[in-house]
């Protein structure tokens, strides 16, 4: 769910801030091979600022637990609950930052997030997304 929220943040950013064609933006975000460092770089490119420090710290703690579980290492219930709590803190920090700057809450209700503004043509959107670092098929 956290990764879905991260993808939504990038998608919402390019559609709302840059008026990208929604279909092209959705395809670009969903097919892009996303790494942890790649997400941070795209976030900074799209929004013009870094992840909040509180979010980055919370995410690091949760990622360590996620990696342990995915690689078959034991994790106590306490560690799992702590990771879930850190992810919720992460989501709140991202929502707060993006709502303050762009009236976006990627970890929340997205109805009507982009407004009625005219969007860019598909060809221009592809060109723009390539320039931002997305891989476009």
């Amino acid at each position: 769910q956290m990764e879905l929220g991260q993808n939504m943040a990038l998608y919402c950013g390019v559609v709302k801030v840059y008026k990208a064609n929604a279909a092209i933006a959705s395809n670009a975000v969903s097919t892009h091979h996303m790494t942890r460092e790649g997400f941070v770089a795209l976030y900074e490119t799209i929004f013009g600022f870094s992840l909040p420090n509180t979010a980055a710290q919370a995410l690091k703690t949760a990622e360590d637990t996620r990696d342990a579980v995915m690689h078959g290492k034991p994790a106590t219930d306490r560690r799992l609950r702590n990771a879930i709590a850190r992810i919720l803190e992460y989501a709140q920090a991202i929502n707060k930052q993006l709502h303050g700057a762009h009236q976006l809450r990627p970890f929340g209700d997205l109805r009507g997030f982009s407004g009625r503004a005219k969007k860019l043509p598909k060809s221009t959107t592809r060109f723009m997304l390539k320039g931002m670092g997305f891989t476009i098929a």
Side-chain angles (χ1 to χ4, degrees):
Q1 291 299 323
M2 189 257 328
E3 291 164 354
L4 178 62
Q6 289 179 319
N7 284 344
M8 289 308 296
L10 299 179
Y11 165 76
C12 291
V14 296
V15 171
K16 176 150 179 129
V17 177
Y18 297 98
K19 309 294 184 240
N21 176 283
I24 301 298
S26 176
N27 186 47
V29 170
S30 65
T31 60
H32 183 77
H33 175 73
M34 196 74 65
T35 62
R36 291 174 182 168
E37 296 80 19
F39 168 75
V40 172
L42 283 171
Y43 187 93
E44 290 175 359
T45 298
I46 292 168
F47 296 110
F49 43 77
S50 300
L51 289 170
N53 287 335
T54 56
Q57 292 168 353
L59 184 60
K60 178 66 176 140
T61 302
E63 285 174 344
D64 291 343
T65 301
R66 178 246 181 233
D67 292 344
V69 170
M70 293 304 290
H71 294 290
K73 308 243 165 96
T76 63
D77 286 344
R78 180 180 179 167
R79 184 174 179 186
L80 294 172
R81 284 191 304 271
N82 185 42
I84 293 168
R86 298 299 77 78
I87 290 300
L88 293 174
E89 289 173 7
Y90 172 81
Q92 288 175 337
I94 296 294
N95 275 349
K96 182 178 179 183
Q97 183 184 49
L98 293 181
H99 187 275
H102 301 290
Q103 290 70 50
L104 288 174
R105 286 192 179 103
F107 290 93
D109 186 9
L110 294 173
R111 288 178 290 181
F113 78 92
S114 70
R116 298 175 77 180
K118 184 171 168 56
K119 304 299 185 248
L120 294 173
K122 290 180 179 183
S123 59
T124 305
T125 297
R126 282 188 191 95
F127 182 72
M128 177 184 64
L129 293 174
K130 281 183 184 181
M132 287 181 175
F134 287 98
T135 50
I136 306 294

